Amino acid sequence: MIAKSSHTMKKILVTGAAGFIGYHLSGRLLEEGREVVGLDNMNDYYDPVLKEVRLSRLTPHVNFKSVHMDLSDRAAMEELFVAERFDGVINLAAQAGVRYSLINPNSYVDSNLVGFMNVLEGCRHNNVKHLVFASSSSVYGANTRMPFSVHDNVDHPVSIYAATKKANELMAHTYSHLYGLHCTGLRFFTVYGPWGRPDMALFLFTKAILEDRPIDVFNHGKMLRDFTYVDDIVEGVVRVLDKPAEPNPGWTGDAPDPSSSYVPYKLYNIGNNQPVELLRFIEIIEECLGKKARKNLMPMQPGDVPATYANIDDLMRDVGFKPSTTLEEGIPRFIAWYKDYYTA
């Protein structure tokens, strides 16, 4: 028997539902008794089979409906919004990855700009109560003041991926201003965990070490990352979903706060608030695998940043949540999943 949802946001569109975060988030929303329409275009940026398996674990839920669709398909998106009448929308679908944006920048325009515009239009015309959208820690770009704060300007992106995420924040603010759409942007910091993406460091390192291949360690390992466990990300998203952005009465154009506005618009960081050096990250993987990595130490990759570190004061104040899963807890969970999925 599926529990009846007591939440005001009962029917949710999750874009990118077959993706890493989208899969975990959809499962959580379904557990809470909400109705989820999961949209994904199932592209081959990474192994589509992994996406299909994630999706197959969601489809048995009576409250889950899978939609195979591309965000950039304007007519199909219009039809979907009219037919389904969502209470809330969580936009996670995007062309991801900083390094891939050096190779194929056009795919970021299609997914992250054209696609996001179609989401905004769908919300505007169909009385969606709250749009929650994934931004990224990459928007901080050339910023060096730590920890990264949503109250600082982020006008110096260093990758096309980051530029599209910054553009999403600007586009959402515009729709909030013009149409009163309640919009909340979430800047995720280096998400990891079971069912993770094969292009992410934890997956790549685990696979290579188990296969006795060297791993590429950029910036000679002198990278700091605010690694955030996927369940903590999901908890933050769900709490924010049920608290639609409201205008900030103290906002002033004389000293504009980038994180809020005179309209119903808000930005939050969701990060672990505990940056860890990449070499320590690798050490924990080695301990879990009982096997040493062969490290191919390399210079910094173009478009990358040396450190990320989230200030999460606003998130804690507004929704009462702080990510708390340590790498020592989270990495073993990923490796247990990886071994079960690939070697069982």
Side-chain angles (χ1 to χ4, degrees), residues 20-29 31-32 188-196 227-239 270-272 315 321-326 329-330 333-334:
F20 168 38
I21 300 172
Y23 159 70
H24 284 280
L25 177 66
S26 296
R28 167 68 182 272
L29 294 170
E31 281 172 17
E32 294 183 347
F188 297 155
F189 281 68
T190 316
V191 190
Y192 75 99
W195 297 96
F227 296 100
T228 313
Y229 191 65
V230 65
D231 288 359
D232 286 335
I233 292 285
V234 166
E235 181 67 30
V237 174
V238 169
R239 291 197 189 204
I270 304 188
N272 208 40
L315 185 73
F321 175 66
K322 176 182 180 177
S324 60
T325 307
T326 65
E329 296 170 283
R333 294 177 196 166
F334 169 81

Side-chain angles (χ1 to χ4, degrees), residues 22 28 67 82 96 139 142 162 196 198 216 222 246 306 320 329 331:
R28 167 68 182 272
V67 175
V82 169
V139 299
D216 291 337
K222 300 298 180 187
E246 294 295 344
E329 296 170 283
I331 287 178

